[in-house]
Amino acid sequence: MLAPESDPSPHDSSLLLCLPDDVFATVSRYLIPREVFNLSLCCKSLYALATSEKVWLTQCDIIGIVSTKDLVEWRECVSSYKSLCRFLSSVKPLIGIWVQQNPELGNLVYVMPGFVSVVACRIIPQEIVSSGSVQDDSILWSPVFEIVCDFDGSCMFFLHGREEKGIDCVYHGSVKRVNRFCNLLLLEVESLKQDNNEALVPFSKLGFWDRRKLLEVTTSSSQVRLEVPNYANERLFPRSRDDYVNFQKDLVLLKERREFLIQVTQMYKLGCIQIENEENSQEEEVGSIQLEVNEVRKSHDYSKALSFPPSNENGHTQCISRKCLGGYFWGGFKHILGRSSSIGDCVVNVDQQHNRIAGKTDDRSSCSIDVSIGNVDKQHSTNAGTNENRSSSTMDGSVISIDQQHNTTAGTRKDDLMLRSSHETKHDKLQDFLKSSDALRLTFKALTANLSSFRGWPNMNKNWFALYKMPLQVPKVDQVYAGLWGGTFGSPHEKSSQDKPRKALFFLLLSYSESNGQQFLIGTKILEGTCYAMHPNGSAMFTVNINEPSSDPFPCKTDRDSLSMNNIEHAFMGEGIACGYGFKYPGSKPGSLFVFQNGHLAFVWKESRQFLTLQRINLQELLKKGKKISSLPPVDNFSYLMKSCLNVFTS
């Protein structure tokens, strides 16, 4: 690697300077952006050569997120190709498939290029016409978040969500440095402090309900929320270039939309929610949230009050005082926000308790963790009467390791006292978090976590507003079937027809695994288009032994549309999913995977003779032809944590 300290000799420098721009741009393909930047610092003579537009266009092209034609169009919106390369390098690790296991039917998020941006799209569980028309169908999707490239190449984060009145909004926030090998996306609230000498309480140290309340309050602020005109929300990325007329129209609208987001964000300085001391606050700033802070009393009587300005129909704002945080403890004190809140009208229920105890259960049971993140794979449970109900999380730079929480069973007075003590500890942390803050800001983090997994499906912490990256194996010579596949249940011989009944769409990630010298192909389900999930996401729809050919005959039909045995290239023995011990523990039955000459796959259960027909899909192209629908409310839209086997996104 070239370094600024190692100044090249005049002879070496003159040789480089003699190269034409095109030739040097070709040579720069063997360099990474850091090396090109270091080369520009070596001497004045090399500065102009290493900072040329052609060189940085080459660097942008090497990153490989978008085509060269797209790069030329994106360049019109930024200051230079060097700035564009800075943005592309930052967001490249985000491109791919991200998942959350709750609900079981619809937390598949795909991050793809937009227009001078990247867009996260949730694939909605749905039905399509038939097994042979996955590429032709218009699939449903909804936006989750987008990261827009500013003029200087910096990142601007916008969370998507729907208000109670059905209005689609975006919520501005900051983007922390994206780790190069990130596999965990977190939605958090960042505590800002002018005095950097004072240690801040990490958002990750707060309890689940405290974190949720801070997120809900932050996204309800007019300093974060932005209503985007309907015409500007229709498309977040252009359609395929094959549709040239619509593609050009999309570019015009997307340029206007991007300029609107940047101008409004800069004009109203969106992003930060100011916190001021009540003593020093002479007047309130219209259009911002004021979290007024008084001195912390020794008797735990914290007097930090909460108020925020709802927008009325005339566009004016007003501030409504909230209960002080001093009464935040479990023993009969009030909380900041209730479970049900009307964000648009700023109506808040302050009487909600954090958890139900002594024989009562909470429908929203997502505040307990069933599976650990980190090196702990085994679930622990505690008996009634124990005095530990804590969760611990540690962060080391951009690497996070979250230990498993323990579930408790209430029913005794001792348990009641234990819960009170646990909640008081969490509330103290919330007081410290707010007390040490000058401002709050919605924050997006992309971290590298020590995740355990089972058959390629990550074990997830159910109490974090997080998305987990699914590793996508690239097809190789000895792993030709790896990658993303989509299809339905039904014979591969069926012809597409609008008259035929629609069938549930399935997405499977096919990956290879070795065990005892045998190579297995595993089809992991990541999307199920039924109204009620039959099996959880992460289930292996089939497991096939690549080293064991199948001698089972293909159950051909007798009509003229059926395929003959000559169209089958390979057949492998395996097992397919079946009803077993319950939703979380399905059984399996024997079957075979057939590979056809046209590249399609079909797994056939031997007993029932059912077909699961699959074809390789390009999810990015499918989304470009898809149909956008409204999002969920902002906090739930990032990762819906309520346990549900129903299709909550289209019901």
Side-chain angles (χ1 to χ4, degrees), residues 166-169 227-235 253 257 260 628:
I167 302 174
D168 291 331
C169 298
E227 294 184 11
V228 182
N230 291 332
Y231 76 90
N233 254 339
E234 289 299 321
R235 302 207 64 83
L253 291 176
R257 182 182 185 277
F260 170 81
K628 174 180 170 291

Side-chain angles (χ1 to χ4, degrees), residues 1-6 31-39 42:
M1 179 187 298
L2 295 174
E5 294 78 14
S6 59
L31 304 176
I32 61 176
R34 183 186 301 174
E35 293 172 341
V36 176
F37 176 75
N38 289 338
L39 184 63
C42 290

Side-chain angles (χ1 to χ4, degrees), residues 190-465:
E190 182 182 11
S191 175
L192 304 178
K193 184 69 175 177
Q194 293 179 355
D195 184 8
N196 295 327
N197 295 327
E198 184 175 351
L200 300 180
V201 177
F203 182 82
S204 60
K205 293 292 186 180
L206 301 178
F208 170 74
W209 287 110
D210 294 339
R211 285 183 273 114
R212 185 179 188 93
K213 290 170 184 177
L214 280 174
L215 285 171
E216 289 178 346
V217 170
T218 304
T219 53
S220 68
S221 168
S222 59
Q223 284 297 99
V224 173
R225 183 181 66 250
L226 176 63
E227 294 184 11
V228 182
N230 291 332
Y231 76 90
N233 254 339
E234 289 299 321
R235 302 207 64 83
L236 302 181
F237 42 81
R239 277 167 280 196
S240 175
R241 286 184 175 271
D242 297 336
D243 190 356
Y244 180 78
V245 176
N246 287 325
F247 177 80
Q248 294 298 324
K249 292 180 180 179
D250 292 343
L251 287 183
V252 174
L253 291 176
L254 288 169
K255 288 179 181 178
E256 294 178 357
R257 182 182 185 277
R258 178 181 174 276
E259 292 175 359
F260 170 81
L261 290 176
I262 294 177
Q263 290 178 2
V264 174
T265 301
Q266 295 175 347
M267 182 182 303
Y268 295 101
K269 297 180 180 179
L270 296 181
C272 288
I273 303 172
Q274 299 299 323
I275 299 179
E276 297 180 359
N277 290 330
E278 189 174 11
E279 299 174 353
N280 301 329
S281 179
Q282 302 297 330
E283 57 182 357
E284 294 180 348
E285 179 183 356
V286 176
S288 67
I289 291 183
Q290 297 295 339
L291 292 177
E292 301 171 353
V293 182
N294 288 336
E295 294 183 357
V296 180
R297 302 177 183 175
K298 294 182 179 180
S299 60
H300 296 287
D301 183 15
Y302 302 105
S303 58
K304 192 168 187 178
L306 175 69
S307 63
F308 57 94
S311 299
N312 57 27
E313 295 179 356
N314 297 326
H316 301 291
T317 58
Q318 57 182 346
C319 286
I320 302 176
S321 298
R322 295 297 174 211
K323 298 290 183 180
C324 68
L325 292 178
Y328 198 71
F329 295 116
W330 178 262
F333 288 16
K334 305 299 183 182
H335 305 296
I336 302 177
L337 295 173
R339 175 176 305 163
S340 60
S341 62
S342 176
I343 296 178
D345 298 327
C346 299
V347 177
V348 182
N349 176 13
V350 298
D351 296 325
Q352 178 195 358
Q353 292 182 343
H354 278 230
N355 290 312
R356 306 280 184 86
I357 59 173
K360 297 182 179 180
T361 59
D362 194 342
D363 293 334
R364 300 188 69 162
S365 57
S366 58
C367 45
S368 63
I369 295 182
D370 295 335
V371 185
S372 66
I373 293 181
N375 298 323
V376 183
D377 297 335
K378 190 174 182 180
Q379 181 180 353
H380 302 281
S381 60
T382 59
N383 298 325
T386 57
N387 57 3
E388 286 200 33
N389 184 21
R390 305 185 186 95
S391 63
S392 61
S393 62
T394 59
M395 286 193 179
D396 181 14
S398 59
V399 180
I400 182 172
S401 177
I402 306 174
D403 296 333
Q404 180 178 353
Q405 287 185 346
H406 303 276
N407 298 325
T408 60
T409 57
T412 64
R413 179 178 177 83
K414 188 175 182 180
D415 294 330
D416 191 359
L417 296 175
M418 176 272 296
L419 288 174
R420 292 179 183 222
S421 175
S422 174
H423 282 293
E424 287 177 358
T425 302
K426 292 181 180 179
H427 302 337
D428 283 339
K429 292 179 181 178
L430 178 60
Q431 304 301 324
D432 295 338
F433 181 89
L434 294 174
K435 181 183 64 176
S436 62
S437 304
D438 290 333
L440 301 178
R441 180 171 60 185
L442 194 65
T443 303
F444 173 84
K445 292 183 178 180
L447 308 177
T448 301
N450 299 320
L451 300 178
S452 60
S453 62
F454 177 71
R455 292 185 175 179
W457 185 259
N459 293 324
M460 302 179 190
N461 186 314
K462 299 178 183 177
N463 277 12
W464 291 87
F465 298 93

Side-chain angles (χ1 to χ4, degrees), residues 462-595:
K462 299 178 183 177
N463 277 12
W464 291 87
F465 298 93
L467 295 171
Y468 301 79
K469 194 166 192 177
M470 287 295 296
L472 182 63
Q473 290 187 1
V474 179
K476 301 178 182 178
V477 177
D478 58 338
Q479 298 180 353
V480 293
Y481 308 118
L484 179 63
W485 295 72
T488 65
F489 275 92
S491 172
H493 313 317
E494 295 178 359
K495 290 185 176 181
S496 301
S497 174
Q498 296 295 336
D499 299 331
K500 291 185 177 181
R502 301 177 69 87
K503 299 179 180 179
L505 173 64
F506 283 80
F507 280 170
L508 272 67
L509 279 180
L510 269 59
S511 58
Y512 286 80
S513 176
E514 292 188 5
S515 177
N516 299 325
Q518 300 293 313
Q519 191 175 36
F520 294 90
L521 178 65
I522 303 173
T524 303
K525 189 200 79 174
I526 59 176
L527 182 74
E528 179 179 342
T530 55
C531 295
Y532 189 89
M534 298 299 296
H535 302 289
N537 282 339
S539 299
M541 293 298 291
F542 58 78
T543 302
V544 175
N545 190 340
I546 298 299
N547 303 116
E548 186 177 356
S550 175
S551 58
D552 294 339
F554 184 77
C556 295
K557 295 184 179 180
T558 57
D559 56 38
R560 62 181 182 179
D561 293 332
S562 63
L563 300 177
S564 65
M565 290 298 293
N566 296 330
N567 296 105
I568 299 176
E569 289 187 342
H570 305 286
F572 308 102
M573 292 291 294
E575 293 181 339
I577 199 168
C579 295
Y581 298 101
F583 183 76
K584 291 290 185 181
Y585 306 98
S588 60
K589 290 188 177 182
S592 299
L593 180 69
F594 295 90
V595 182

